[in-house]
Amino acid sequence: MENREEWGSKIGFILAAIGSAVGLGNIWRFPYIAYENGGGAFLIPYFFAIFTAGIPLLILEYSMGHKYRGSTPLAIARASKKWEWIGWWPTITSAFIVAYYSVIISWAMNYFVLSFKQGWGSDSNVFFHNEFLKLSNSPFEIGGVVWYVLLGVAAIWIINWIVCYKGVKKGIEKINKILLPTLVVIMIIIAIRAVTLNGASEGLNTLLTPDWSMVLKPSVWISAYGQVFYSLSIAIGIMMTYSSYLPKKTDINNSAFVTAFANCGFEFLSAIAVFAILGYMATAQGVPMSEVVSSGVGLAFVAFPQIFSAMGPIGNFLGPLFFLCLIFAGITSSVSLTEAVSAPFKEKFGWSRKKVVTCMCIIGACMSTVFATNAGLYLLDIMDAFINNYGIVVVGLLEVILIGWIVTPKSLREHSNKISYIKVGKWWDISIKFITPAILIYMILQNVINEMSAHYGGYDLFNLIAYGWSAIGFGIIVSLILSKKPWKDKKIEEDENEEEDRLILEEINK
Protein backbone atom coordinates (compact mmCIF):
# COMPACT_ATOMS: atom_id res chain seq x y z
CA MET A 1 0.00 0.00 0.00
CA GLU A 2 1.29 3.50 -0.86
CA ASN A 3 1.86 5.82 2.11
CA ARG A 4 -0.95 8.26 2.74
CA GLU A 5 -0.36 11.48 0.86
CA GLU A 6 0.00 14.77 2.69
CA TRP A 7 -0.24 18.43 1.79
CA GLY A 8 3.10 20.10 1.18
CA SER A 9 2.19 22.94 3.53
CA LYS A 10 -0.64 24.23 5.69
CA ILE A 11 -1.19 27.13 3.30
CA GLY A 12 -1.55 24.59 0.50
CA PHE A 13 -4.38 22.87 2.36
CA ILE A 14 -6.10 26.16 3.22
CA LEU A 15 -5.90 27.39 -0.38
CA ALA A 16 -7.32 24.07 -1.61
CA ALA A 17 -10.15 24.24 0.95
CA ILE A 18 -10.91 27.86 0.05
CA GLY A 19 -10.66 26.97 -3.64
CA SER A 20 -13.30 24.31 -3.13
CA ALA A 21 -15.56 26.66 -1.18
CA VAL A 22 -15.14 29.57 -3.60
CA GLY A 23 -17.21 28.53 -6.58
CA LEU A 24 -19.83 29.77 -8.98
CA GLY A 25 -22.35 30.25 -6.17
CA ASN A 26 -20.19 32.95 -4.55
CA ILE A 27 -20.35 35.01 -7.73
CA TRP A 28 -23.90 34.52 -8.94
CA ARG A 29 -25.89 33.39 -5.90
CA PHE A 30 -24.79 35.27 -2.77
CA PRO A 31 -25.38 38.83 -4.12
CA TYR A 32 -28.96 38.01 -5.08
CA ILE A 33 -29.69 36.13 -1.83
CA ALA A 34 -28.42 39.09 0.20
CA TYR A 35 -30.45 41.58 -1.85
CA GLU A 36 -33.64 39.49 -1.66
CA ASN A 37 -33.40 38.96 2.09
CA GLY A 38 -32.95 42.40 3.53
CA GLY A 39 -29.70 43.73 2.03
CA GLY A 40 -27.38 44.84 4.82
CA ALA A 41 -29.74 43.35 7.43
CA PHE A 42 -29.09 39.91 5.90
CA LEU A 43 -25.63 40.03 7.45
CA ILE A 44 -27.12 39.34 10.90
CA PRO A 45 -28.61 35.91 10.08
CA TYR A 46 -25.75 35.21 7.69
CA PHE A 47 -23.03 35.63 10.32
CA PHE A 48 -25.17 33.83 12.89
CA ALA A 49 -25.34 30.92 10.43
CA ILE A 50 -21.58 31.08 9.89
CA PHE A 51 -20.89 30.78 13.64
CA THR A 52 -23.60 28.23 14.50
CA ALA A 53 -23.39 26.00 11.43
CA GLY A 54 -20.64 26.95 8.99
CA ILE A 55 -17.61 27.01 11.28
CA PRO A 56 -18.86 24.22 13.61
CA LEU A 57 -19.44 21.91 10.63
CA LEU A 58 -16.07 22.79 9.11
CA ILE A 59 -14.40 21.98 12.44
CA LEU A 60 -16.43 18.75 12.55
CA GLU A 61 -15.39 17.66 9.06
CA TYR A 62 -11.76 18.77 9.45
CA SER A 63 -11.53 16.94 12.79
CA MET A 64 -13.17 13.78 11.45
CA GLY A 65 -10.89 13.56 8.43
CA HIS A 66 -7.78 14.37 10.44
CA LYS A 67 -8.49 12.12 13.44
CA TYR A 68 -9.62 9.05 11.51
CA ARG A 69 -7.18 9.52 8.60
CA GLY A 70 -9.54 8.71 5.76
CA SER A 71 -11.87 10.01 3.11
CA THR A 72 -15.46 10.63 4.18
CA PRO A 73 -16.72 6.99 4.09
CA LEU A 74 -13.63 5.62 5.83
CA ALA A 75 -13.57 8.35 8.48
CA ILE A 76 -17.24 7.76 9.32
CA ALA A 77 -16.75 3.96 9.29
CA ARG A 78 -13.94 4.33 11.82
CA ALA A 79 -16.18 6.49 13.99
CA SER A 80 -19.18 4.15 13.69
CA LYS A 81 -19.25 1.25 11.25
CA LYS A 82 -23.06 1.18 11.05
CA TRP A 83 -23.06 4.74 9.74
CA GLU A 84 -20.55 4.21 6.92
CA TRP A 85 -23.25 4.66 4.28
CA ILE A 86 -23.57 8.33 5.30
CA GLY A 87 -20.06 8.82 3.99
CA TRP A 88 -20.90 7.22 0.65
CA TRP A 89 -24.01 9.31 0.03
CA PRO A 90 -22.10 12.62 -0.36
CA THR A 91 -19.56 10.75 -2.49
CA ILE A 92 -22.28 9.76 -4.97
CA THR A 93 -23.81 13.24 -4.69
CA SER A 94 -20.46 14.81 -5.58
CA ALA A 95 -20.28 12.59 -8.67
CA PHE A 96 -23.58 14.05 -9.89
CA ILE A 97 -22.54 17.60 -9.02
CA VAL A 98 -19.21 17.48 -10.86
CA ALA A 99 -20.96 15.93 -13.89
CA TYR A 100 -23.22 18.94 -14.40
CA TYR A 101 -20.82 21.48 -12.89
CA SER A 102 -18.33 20.78 -15.69
CA VAL A 103 -21.01 21.74 -18.22
CA ILE A 104 -21.51 25.16 -16.58
CA ILE A 105 -17.74 25.72 -16.69
CA SER A 106 -17.85 24.76 -20.37
CA TRP A 107 -20.50 27.45 -20.93
CA ALA A 108 -18.19 29.97 -19.23
CA MET A 109 -15.27 28.88 -21.42
CA ASN A 110 -17.34 29.39 -24.55
CA TYR A 111 -18.60 32.75 -23.34
CA PHE A 112 -15.05 33.80 -22.51
CA VAL A 113 -14.23 33.43 -26.21
CA LEU A 114 -17.49 35.11 -27.25
CA SER A 115 -16.92 38.04 -24.89
CA PHE A 116 -14.02 39.52 -26.88
CA LYS A 117 -16.40 40.37 -29.74
CA GLN A 118 -19.63 40.17 -27.75
CA GLY A 119 -20.75 37.29 -29.92
CA TRP A 120 -24.09 36.90 -28.11
CA GLY A 121 -25.54 39.67 -30.26
CA SER A 122 -28.29 42.14 -29.37
CA ASP A 123 -30.58 39.71 -27.50
CA SER A 124 -28.54 37.72 -24.99
CA ASN A 125 -31.57 35.78 -23.73
CA VAL A 126 -32.55 34.45 -27.14
CA PHE A 127 -28.91 33.73 -27.96
CA PHE A 128 -28.26 31.75 -24.77
CA HIS A 129 -31.37 29.58 -24.84
CA ASN A 130 -32.06 29.21 -28.56
CA GLU A 131 -28.77 29.64 -30.38
CA PHE A 132 -26.12 28.63 -27.83
CA LEU A 133 -27.87 25.83 -25.90
CA LYS A 134 -30.38 25.02 -28.65
CA LEU A 135 -32.75 24.30 -25.78
CA SER A 136 -35.46 21.72 -26.46
CA ASN A 137 -39.10 22.12 -25.45
CA SER A 138 -39.09 19.74 -22.47
CA PRO A 139 -36.80 17.70 -20.19
CA PHE A 140 -37.66 14.47 -22.02
CA GLU A 141 -36.87 15.93 -25.43
CA ILE A 142 -33.15 15.16 -25.16
CA GLY A 143 -32.31 16.03 -28.77
CA GLY A 144 -28.67 15.98 -29.83
CA VAL A 145 -25.34 16.93 -28.27
CA VAL A 146 -24.18 20.54 -28.53
CA TRP A 147 -20.66 19.89 -29.79
CA TYR A 148 -18.93 23.08 -28.58
CA VAL A 149 -20.35 22.56 -25.10
CA LEU A 150 -19.14 18.96 -25.17
CA LEU A 151 -15.70 20.14 -26.28
CA GLY A 152 -15.47 22.39 -23.23
CA VAL A 153 -16.66 19.54 -21.01
CA ALA A 154 -13.86 17.34 -22.38
CA ALA A 155 -11.33 20.07 -21.58
CA ILE A 156 -12.56 20.33 -17.98
CA TRP A 157 -12.38 16.58 -17.44
CA ILE A 158 -8.85 16.49 -18.87
CA ILE A 159 -7.88 19.20 -16.36
CA ASN A 160 -9.55 17.25 -13.52
CA TRP A 161 -7.71 14.10 -14.59
CA ILE A 162 -4.27 15.74 -14.88
CA VAL A 163 -4.54 17.52 -11.52
CA CYS A 164 -5.91 14.58 -9.48
CA TYR A 165 -3.68 12.07 -11.31
CA LYS A 166 -0.62 13.97 -10.04
CA GLY A 167 -1.86 13.70 -6.47
CA VAL A 168 -2.47 15.97 -3.52
CA LYS A 169 0.81 17.87 -3.31
CA LYS A 170 1.91 18.04 -6.95
CA GLY A 171 -1.57 18.36 -8.42
CA ILE A 172 -4.37 19.76 -6.23
CA GLU A 173 -2.18 21.95 -4.03
CA LYS A 174 -0.18 23.31 -6.96
CA ILE A 175 -3.15 24.33 -9.11
CA ASN A 176 -4.88 26.05 -6.19
CA LYS A 177 -1.74 28.04 -5.40
CA ILE A 178 -1.94 29.39 -8.95
CA LEU A 179 -5.65 29.73 -9.66
CA LEU A 180 -7.01 31.00 -6.33
CA PRO A 181 -4.75 34.08 -5.95
CA THR A 182 -5.28 34.83 -9.64
CA LEU A 183 -9.05 34.55 -9.18
CA VAL A 184 -9.00 36.99 -6.25
CA VAL A 185 -6.85 39.50 -8.16
CA ILE A 186 -9.17 39.39 -11.18
CA MET A 187 -12.25 39.90 -8.99
CA ILE A 188 -10.58 42.85 -7.25
CA ILE A 189 -9.87 44.42 -10.66
CA ILE A 190 -13.50 43.90 -11.72
CA ALA A 191 -14.78 45.35 -8.43
CA ILE A 192 -12.52 48.44 -8.62
CA ARG A 193 -13.59 49.17 -12.20
CA ALA A 194 -17.24 48.41 -11.43
CA VAL A 195 -17.57 50.85 -8.53
CA THR A 196 -16.35 53.70 -10.78
CA LEU A 197 -19.18 53.16 -13.28
CA ASN A 198 -22.01 55.66 -13.53
CA GLY A 199 -24.86 54.34 -11.36
CA ALA A 200 -22.69 51.96 -9.34
CA SER A 201 -23.69 53.72 -6.12
CA GLU A 202 -27.35 52.94 -6.79
CA GLY A 203 -26.54 49.27 -7.07
CA LEU A 204 -24.44 49.25 -3.91
CA ASN A 205 -27.08 51.17 -1.96
CA THR A 206 -29.69 48.64 -3.08
CA LEU A 207 -27.48 45.77 -1.95
CA LEU A 208 -26.36 47.18 1.39
CA THR A 209 -29.32 49.27 2.61
CA PRO A 210 -30.72 47.25 5.52
CA ASP A 211 -34.36 46.28 5.68
CA TRP A 212 -34.58 45.43 9.37
CA SER A 213 -38.11 44.03 9.09
CA MET A 214 -36.72 41.10 7.07
CA VAL A 215 -34.62 39.91 10.01
CA LEU A 216 -37.78 38.74 11.78
CA LYS A 217 -38.84 36.44 8.91
CA PRO A 218 -37.94 32.73 9.32
CA SER A 219 -37.46 32.40 5.54
CA VAL A 220 -34.55 34.87 5.70
CA TRP A 221 -32.77 32.79 8.32
CA ILE A 222 -33.34 29.66 6.27
CA SER A 223 -31.83 31.43 3.26
CA ALA A 224 -28.79 32.37 5.35
CA TYR A 225 -28.20 28.79 6.47
CA GLY A 226 -28.80 27.55 2.94
CA GLN A 227 -26.20 29.95 1.55
CA VAL A 228 -23.65 28.86 4.15
CA PHE A 229 -24.19 25.20 3.22
CA TYR A 230 -24.15 25.98 -0.47
CA SER A 231 -20.93 27.98 -0.43
CA LEU A 232 -18.68 26.20 2.09
CA SER A 233 -18.59 22.74 0.43
CA ILE A 234 -20.12 21.20 3.57
CA ALA A 235 -21.65 17.70 3.54
CA ILE A 236 -20.42 16.73 0.07
CA GLY A 237 -17.34 14.79 1.14
CA ILE A 238 -14.68 17.33 0.18
CA MET A 239 -13.55 18.85 3.48
CA MET A 240 -13.32 15.55 5.33
CA THR A 241 -11.25 14.06 2.51
CA TYR A 242 -8.99 17.10 2.22
CA SER A 243 -8.32 17.21 5.97
CA SER A 244 -7.32 13.53 5.97
CA TYR A 245 -4.18 14.57 4.06
CA LEU A 246 -3.07 16.96 6.82
CA PRO A 247 0.02 16.17 8.92
CA LYS A 248 -0.73 14.97 12.44
CA LYS A 249 0.20 18.27 14.04
CA THR A 250 -2.02 20.81 12.30
CA ASP A 251 -4.10 23.71 13.58
CA ILE A 252 -7.61 22.43 12.78
CA ASN A 253 -9.71 25.16 14.39
CA ASN A 254 -7.80 28.08 12.95
CA SER A 255 -7.97 26.50 9.48
CA ALA A 256 -11.76 26.29 9.76
CA PHE A 257 -12.06 29.96 10.74
CA VAL A 258 -9.71 31.06 7.94
CA THR A 259 -11.59 29.01 5.34
CA ALA A 260 -14.98 30.34 6.42
CA PHE A 261 -13.97 34.00 6.57
CA ALA A 262 -11.95 33.87 3.36
CA ASN A 263 -15.02 32.46 1.62
CA CYS A 264 -17.17 35.22 3.16
CA GLY A 265 -14.70 37.85 2.00
CA PHE A 266 -14.84 36.62 -1.58
CA GLU A 267 -18.63 36.56 -1.46
CA PHE A 268 -18.74 40.21 -0.35
CA LEU A 269 -16.19 41.19 -2.98
CA SER A 270 -18.29 39.47 -5.66
CA ALA A 271 -21.45 41.14 -4.38
CA ILE A 272 -19.86 44.57 -4.63
CA ALA A 273 -18.73 43.91 -8.20
CA VAL A 274 -22.03 42.38 -9.31
CA PHE A 275 -24.30 45.05 -7.84
CA ALA A 276 -22.12 47.93 -9.01
CA ILE A 277 -22.46 46.60 -12.56
CA LEU A 278 -26.21 46.02 -12.13
CA GLY A 279 -26.54 49.58 -10.82
CA TYR A 280 -24.85 50.84 -13.97
CA MET A 281 -27.34 48.90 -16.10
CA ALA A 282 -30.36 50.19 -14.17
CA THR A 283 -29.16 53.78 -14.49
CA ALA A 284 -28.37 53.41 -18.21
CA GLN A 285 -31.84 52.00 -18.92
CA GLY A 286 -33.66 54.31 -16.53
CA VAL A 287 -35.34 51.42 -14.74
CA PRO A 288 -35.45 50.40 -11.04
CA MET A 289 -32.89 47.92 -9.76
CA SER A 290 -35.58 45.27 -9.27
CA GLU A 291 -35.88 44.94 -13.06
CA VAL A 292 -32.22 44.10 -13.67
CA VAL A 293 -31.42 41.98 -10.61
CA SER A 294 -31.23 38.23 -11.23
CA SER A 295 -29.37 35.18 -9.99
CA GLY A 296 -27.72 31.98 -11.15
CA VAL A 297 -27.41 31.02 -14.79
CA GLY A 298 -29.62 33.94 -15.87
CA LEU A 299 -27.28 36.47 -14.25
CA ALA A 300 -24.09 35.03 -15.72
CA PHE A 301 -25.20 34.15 -19.23
CA VAL A 302 -28.10 36.51 -19.94
CA ALA A 303 -28.02 39.65 -17.75
CA PHE A 304 -24.27 40.25 -17.69
CA PRO A 305 -23.70 39.71 -21.44
CA GLN A 306 -26.45 42.26 -22.06
CA ILE A 307 -24.72 44.69 -19.70
CA PHE A 308 -21.31 44.14 -21.29
CA SER A 309 -22.81 44.89 -24.71
CA ALA A 310 -24.29 48.15 -23.41
CA MET A 311 -20.93 49.21 -21.93
CA GLY A 312 -19.11 49.39 -25.25
CA PRO A 313 -15.28 49.31 -24.88
CA ILE A 314 -15.56 48.89 -21.10
CA GLY A 315 -17.59 45.74 -21.68
CA ASN A 316 -14.82 44.35 -23.87
CA PHE A 317 -12.55 44.68 -20.84
CA LEU A 318 -14.87 43.48 -18.07
CA GLY A 319 -16.55 40.68 -20.05
CA PRO A 320 -13.50 38.44 -20.52
CA LEU A 321 -12.42 39.05 -16.91
CA PHE A 322 -15.84 38.08 -15.56
CA PHE A 323 -16.00 34.79 -17.48
CA LEU A 324 -12.38 34.04 -16.59
CA CYS A 325 -13.45 34.36 -12.95
CA LEU A 326 -16.23 31.83 -13.52
CA ILE A 327 -13.78 29.43 -15.18
CA PHE A 328 -11.17 29.61 -12.42
CA ALA A 329 -13.77 29.38 -9.63
CA GLY A 330 -15.32 26.41 -11.41
CA ILE A 331 -12.04 24.55 -11.94
CA THR A 332 -10.92 24.75 -8.29
CA SER A 333 -14.30 23.36 -7.22
CA SER A 334 -14.48 20.65 -9.90
CA VAL A 335 -11.02 19.39 -8.95
CA SER A 336 -12.09 19.12 -5.29
CA LEU A 337 -15.24 17.23 -6.27
CA THR A 338 -13.23 14.83 -8.42
CA GLU A 339 -10.91 14.10 -5.51
CA ALA A 340 -13.85 13.66 -3.11
CA VAL A 341 -15.27 10.96 -5.41
CA SER A 342 -11.97 9.26 -6.26
CA ALA A 343 -10.41 8.96 -2.79
CA PRO A 344 -13.11 6.72 -1.22
CA PHE A 345 -12.95 4.15 -4.04
CA LYS A 346 -9.15 4.17 -3.86
CA GLU A 347 -9.32 3.33 -0.15
CA LYS A 348 -12.28 0.94 -0.30
CA PHE A 349 -10.96 -1.32 -3.06
CA GLY A 350 -7.22 -0.80 -2.67
CA TRP A 351 -6.80 0.55 -6.19
CA SER A 352 -4.03 2.94 -7.19
CA ARG A 353 -4.71 6.66 -7.45
CA LYS A 354 -3.94 6.64 -11.18
CA LYS A 355 -6.41 3.83 -11.88
CA VAL A 356 -9.23 5.34 -9.81
CA VAL A 357 -8.81 8.88 -11.13
CA THR A 358 -8.66 7.68 -14.74
CA CYS A 359 -11.79 5.53 -14.39
CA MET A 360 -13.66 8.22 -12.49
CA CYS A 361 -12.87 10.91 -15.09
CA ILE A 362 -13.95 8.67 -17.98
CA ILE A 363 -17.25 7.80 -16.25
CA GLY A 364 -17.75 11.43 -15.21
CA ALA A 365 -17.18 12.70 -18.74
CA CYS A 366 -19.78 10.23 -20.03
CA MET A 367 -22.26 11.43 -17.39
CA SER A 368 -21.60 15.04 -18.36
CA THR A 369 -22.51 14.30 -21.97
CA VAL A 370 -26.19 14.08 -20.96
CA PHE A 371 -26.04 17.67 -19.68
CA ALA A 372 -24.44 18.83 -22.94
CA THR A 373 -27.56 17.90 -24.91
CA ASN A 374 -30.45 20.14 -25.98
CA ALA A 375 -32.30 19.25 -22.75
CA GLY A 376 -29.20 19.73 -20.59
CA LEU A 377 -30.36 22.93 -18.89
CA TYR A 378 -33.58 21.29 -17.71
CA LEU A 379 -31.75 18.27 -16.31
CA LEU A 380 -29.15 20.44 -14.63
CA ASP A 381 -31.76 22.73 -13.08
CA ILE A 382 -33.84 19.89 -11.61
CA MET A 383 -30.95 17.79 -10.34
CA ASP A 384 -29.12 20.75 -8.79
CA ALA A 385 -32.26 21.88 -6.95
CA PHE A 386 -32.99 18.47 -5.47
CA ILE A 387 -29.38 17.73 -4.53
CA ASN A 388 -29.03 21.08 -2.73
CA ASN A 389 -32.47 21.16 -1.11
CA TYR A 390 -32.57 17.53 0.01
CA GLY A 391 -29.37 15.55 -0.55
CA ILE A 392 -26.81 17.91 0.97
CA VAL A 393 -29.06 19.19 3.76
CA VAL A 394 -30.07 15.68 4.86
CA VAL A 395 -26.44 14.50 4.84
CA GLY A 396 -25.51 17.49 6.99
CA LEU A 397 -28.29 16.61 9.42
CA LEU A 398 -27.16 12.98 9.62
CA GLU A 399 -23.56 14.09 10.22
CA VAL A 400 -24.48 16.26 13.20
CA ILE A 401 -26.74 13.54 14.62
CA LEU A 402 -23.89 11.02 14.32
CA ILE A 403 -21.34 13.27 15.99
CA GLY A 404 -23.70 15.01 18.40
CA TRP A 405 -25.51 11.98 19.77
CA ILE A 406 -23.52 8.83 18.94
CA VAL A 407 -19.79 9.59 18.69
CA THR A 408 -20.22 12.64 20.99
CA PRO A 409 -18.76 16.01 19.98
CA LYS A 410 -16.50 16.16 23.03
CA SER A 411 -14.10 13.56 21.57
CA LEU A 412 -13.66 15.54 18.34
CA ARG A 413 -13.44 18.86 20.20
CA GLU A 414 -10.68 17.50 22.42
CA HIS A 415 -8.85 16.15 19.37
CA SER A 416 -8.94 19.49 17.52
CA ASN A 417 -8.17 21.58 20.63
CA LYS A 418 -5.13 19.43 21.38
CA ILE A 419 -3.44 20.52 18.15
CA SER A 420 -4.97 23.99 17.65
CA TYR A 421 -4.02 27.46 18.90
CA ILE A 422 -7.65 28.54 19.01
CA LYS A 423 -9.59 26.38 21.48
CA VAL A 424 -13.29 25.85 20.91
CA GLY A 425 -15.48 25.53 23.95
CA LYS A 426 -18.76 23.83 24.76
CA TRP A 427 -20.59 26.25 22.45
CA TRP A 428 -19.40 23.95 19.65
CA ASP A 429 -21.04 20.92 21.30
CA ILE A 430 -24.29 22.89 21.69
CA SER A 431 -24.23 23.92 18.04
CA ILE A 432 -23.63 20.36 16.84
CA LYS A 433 -26.19 18.76 19.18
CA PHE A 434 -29.02 21.28 19.14
CA ILE A 435 -28.79 24.44 17.02
CA THR A 436 -27.64 23.03 13.68
CA PRO A 437 -29.93 19.95 13.75
CA ALA A 438 -32.96 22.12 14.60
CA ILE A 439 -32.26 24.50 11.73
CA LEU A 440 -31.61 21.69 9.25
CA ILE A 441 -34.81 19.85 10.23
CA TYR A 442 -36.77 23.06 9.73
CA MET A 443 -35.10 23.60 6.33
CA ILE A 444 -36.00 20.08 5.20
CA LEU A 445 -39.61 20.44 6.35
CA GLN A 446 -39.95 23.79 4.57
CA ASN A 447 -38.52 22.33 1.37
CA VAL A 448 -40.96 19.42 1.51
CA ILE A 449 -43.93 21.72 2.20
CA ASN A 450 -42.94 24.01 -0.68
CA GLU A 451 -42.57 21.05 -3.00
CA MET A 452 -45.98 19.70 -2.04
CA SER A 453 -47.68 23.07 -2.55
CA ALA A 454 -46.09 23.72 -5.95
CA HIS A 455 -43.79 21.54 -8.01
CA TYR A 456 -40.27 22.96 -8.38
CA GLY A 457 -39.84 25.23 -11.40
CA GLY A 458 -43.29 24.42 -12.71
CA TYR A 459 -42.04 21.07 -14.01
CA ASP A 460 -44.34 18.05 -14.29
CA LEU A 461 -44.14 15.62 -11.38
CA PHE A 462 -42.81 12.90 -13.68
CA ASN A 463 -39.90 15.16 -14.71
CA LEU A 464 -39.03 15.77 -11.06
CA ILE A 465 -39.20 12.07 -10.24
CA ALA A 466 -37.06 11.12 -13.24
CA TYR A 467 -34.27 13.65 -12.69
CA GLY A 468 -34.64 14.87 -9.10
CA TRP A 469 -36.03 12.28 -6.70
CA SER A 470 -34.34 9.45 -8.62
CA ALA A 471 -30.93 11.08 -8.10
CA ILE A 472 -31.59 11.21 -4.34
CA GLY A 473 -32.84 7.62 -4.28
CA PHE A 474 -29.94 6.36 -6.40
CA GLY A 475 -27.45 7.99 -4.03
CA ILE A 476 -28.97 6.31 -0.98
CA ILE A 477 -29.22 2.84 -2.57
CA VAL A 478 -25.66 2.85 -3.93
CA SER A 479 -24.38 4.15 -0.59
CA LEU A 480 -26.00 1.28 1.30
CA ILE A 481 -24.58 -1.26 -1.16
CA LEU A 482 -21.03 0.15 -0.99
CA SER A 483 -21.11 0.28 2.81
CA LYS A 484 -21.73 -3.48 2.95
CA LYS A 485 -18.59 -4.29 0.97
CA PRO A 486 -15.39 -4.93 2.96
CA TRP A 487 -12.40 -2.64 2.85
CA LYS A 488 -9.97 -4.53 0.59
CA ASP A 489 -6.78 -3.00 1.92
CA LYS A 490 -6.67 -3.96 5.58
CA LYS A 491 -3.75 -1.59 6.21
CA ILE A 492 -6.13 1.27 5.71
CA GLU A 493 -8.39 0.05 8.50
CA GLU A 494 -5.71 -1.12 10.86
CA ASP A 495 -2.27 0.20 11.66
CA GLU A 496 -0.48 -1.88 14.27
CA ASN A 497 1.76 1.04 15.17
CA GLU A 498 -1.01 3.50 16.01
CA GLU A 499 -2.68 3.12 19.39
CA GLU A 500 -5.48 5.50 18.48
CA ASP A 501 -6.38 3.54 15.36
CA ARG A 502 -6.47 0.28 17.33
CA LEU A 503 -8.95 1.79 19.78
CA ILE A 504 -11.10 3.04 16.94
CA LEU A 505 -11.19 -0.40 15.34
CA GLU A 506 -12.13 -2.01 18.65
CA GLU A 507 -15.14 0.34 18.81
CA ILE A 508 -16.07 -0.60 15.23
CA ASN A 509 -15.83 -4.33 16.01
CA LYS A 510 -18.14 -3.91 19.01
Side-chain angles (χ1 to χ4, degrees):
M1 184 193 80
E2 43 187 12
N3 293 327
R4 185 161 195 82
E5 297 175 89
E6 288 189 354
W7 299 103
S9 62
K10 180 183 174 182
I11 189 65
F13 160 70
I14 291 177
L15 286 176
I18 296 172
S20 174
V22 170
L24 302 177
N26 298 68
I27 300 171
W28 72 30
R29 191 174 189 271
F30 175 79
Y32 180 81
I33 294 295
Y35 157 76
E36 194 179 44
N37 290 281
F42 179 71
L43 299 182
I44 293 176
Y46 178 72
F47 277 111
F48 189 85
I50 286 288
F51 281 104
T52 59
I55 291 173
L57 281 169
L58 278 178
I59 293 175
L60 183 155
E61 296 203 350
Y62 284 176
S63 300
M64 283 284 291
H66 184 265
K67 179 178 181 178
Y68 296 114
R69 311 300 292 172
S71 61
T72 308
L74 178 56
I76 291 179
R78 284 176 163 170
S80 178
K81 178 62 179 173
K82 293 179 180 179
W83 287 65
E84 181 187 328
W85 68 277
I86 296 176
W88 284 106
W89 190 0
T91 301
I92 304 304
T93 296
S94 291
F96 283 125
I97 294 174
V98 72
Y100 63 72
Y101 205 77
S102 63
V103 176
I104 302 175
I105 306 171
S106 173
W107 297 348
M109 293 171 71
N110 279 277
Y111 265 66
F112 173 72
V113 176
L114 290 169
S115 64
F116 288 97
K117 294 185 178 180
Q118 297 178 356
W120 43 76
S122 59
D123 192 331
S124 57
N125 184 58
V126 170
F127 175 82
F128 178 66
H129 292 98
N130 297 351
E131 298 180 37
F132 181 71
L133 294 182
K134 297 178 173 61
L135 192 64
S136 64
N137 294 320
S138 71
F140 286 118
E141 191 179 325
I142 301 297
V145 172
V146 182
W147 67 268
Y148 41 83
V149 174
L150 186 62
L151 189 63
V153 166
I156 294 301
W157 278 108
I158 289 171
I159 293 172
N160 289 340
W161 176 75
I162 291 173
V163 173
C164 293
Y165 189 90
K166 288 185 176 181
V168 173
K169 184 178 179 180
K170 295 181 179 179
I172 300 171
E173 181 173 342
K174 194 170 184 179
I175 195 172
N176 277 283
K177 282 184 175 179
I178 297 170
L179 291 188
L180 191 63
T182 306
L183 170 62
V184 174
V185 169
I186 293 173
M187 185 55 76
I188 290 173
I189 293 172
I190 293 175
I192 291 173
R193 185 64 187 92
V195 297
T196 63
L197 295 171
N198 183 36
S201 59
E202 181 181 347
L204 295 178
N205 287 335
T206 301
L207 170 67
L208 299 175
T209 300
D211 180 356
W212 298 113
S213 64
M214 296 290 284
V215 177
L216 301 177
K217 294 184 177 181
S219 61
V220 173
W221 290 78
I222 295 302
S223 295
Y225 277 87
Q227 177 60 27
V228 167
F229 257 77
Y230 188 89
S231 67
L232 283 178
S233 295
I234 294 171
I236 54 176
I238 295 173
M239 295 308 186
M240 217 175 285
T241 299
Y242 269 12
S243 61
S244 72
Y245 301 129
L246 283 168
K248 292 191 175 181
K249 292 185 178 181
T250 303
D251 192 331
I252 296 291
N253 299 337
N254 183 57
S255 298
F257 278 92
V258 170
T259 302
F261 288 123
N263 180 71
C264 290
F266 189 84
E267 285 188 323
F268 289 127
L269 180 63
S270 300
I272 289 171
V274 167
F275 265 79
I277 294 173
L278 291 174
Y280 163 84
M281 187 63 176
T283 301
Q285 293 184 348
V287 299
M289 278 290 295
S290 58
E291 291 190 19
V292 298
V293 176
S294 60
S295 180
V297 171
L299 174 69
F301 300 104
V302 176
F304 264 46
Q306 182 182 353
I307 294 171
F308 296 142
S309 293
M311 285 180 174
I314 300 175
N316 291 331
F317 168 72
L318 289 180
L321 286 181
F322 175 76
F323 290 110
L324 197 60
C325 264
L326 293 185
I327 293 168
F328 285 176
I331 289 175
T332 55
S333 295
S334 68
V335 165
S336 66
L337 288 163
T338 303
E339 179 65 16
V341 178
S342 301
F345 287 95
K346 171 178 171 289
E347 294 172 344
K348 185 75 170 182
F349 300 103
W351 297 333
S352 68
R353 165 175 286 277
K354 295 178 179 180
K355 178 180 178 180
V356 174
V357 170
T358 300
C359 291
M360 192 266 154
C361 288
I362 291 173
I363 295 171
C366 293
M367 291 171 61
S368 296
T369 303
V370 180
F371 299 99
T373 62
N374 300 133
L377 180 59
Y378 298 126
L379 276 60
L380 187 157
D381 183 33
I382 295 172
M383 191 171 291
D384 182 64
F386 275 77
I387 284 175
N388 281 291
N389 291 335
Y390 300 104
I392 293 176
V393 178
V394 173
V395 168
L397 175 61
L398 293 173
E399 278 189 7
V400 293
I401 290 174
L402 168 65
I403 302 305
W405 297 96
I406 298 176
V407 177
T408 71
K410 182 180 178 181
S411 61
L412 281 185
R413 177 163 56 85
E414 290 178 347
H415 172 79
S416 64
N417 282 346
K418 185 170 58 178
I419 54 177
S420 300
Y421 292 109
I422 299 176
K423 312 297 182 184
V424 294
K426 291 185 178 181
W427 65 267
W428 186 77
D429 301 42
I430 295 171
S431 293
I432 296 299
K433 293 185 72 172
F434 301 107
I435 299 176
T436 304
I439 294 294
L440 294 179
I441 290 171
Y442 185 80
M443 287 175 65
I444 294 167
L445 291 176
Q446 283 295 113
N447 290 334
V448 171
I449 292 170
N450 292 338
E451 186 61 33
M452 291 176 66
S453 61
H455 296 321
Y456 170 75
Y459 292 105
D460 290 337
L461 178 60
F462 193 55
N463 297 147
L464 300 180
I465 293 173
Y467 301 123
W469 290 115
S470 62
I472 301 298
F474 180 83
I476 296 173
I477 292 169
V478 174
S479 300
L480 291 169
I481 293 172
L482 287 170
S483 68
K484 300 301 181 183
K485 294 187 175 295
W487 294 88
K488 295 295 183 181
D489 195 334
K490 297 302 181 183
K491 291 183 180 179
I492 290 178
E493 285 193 281
E494 183 173 11
D495 186 343
E496 295 284 334
N497 299 318
E498 295 292 339
E499 177 66 22
E500 187 176 50
D501 279 357
R502 285 205 304 270
L503 294 174
I504 292 167
L505 283 170
E506 285 176 7
E507 291 178 5
I508 292 175
N509 291 330
K510 291 179 182 177

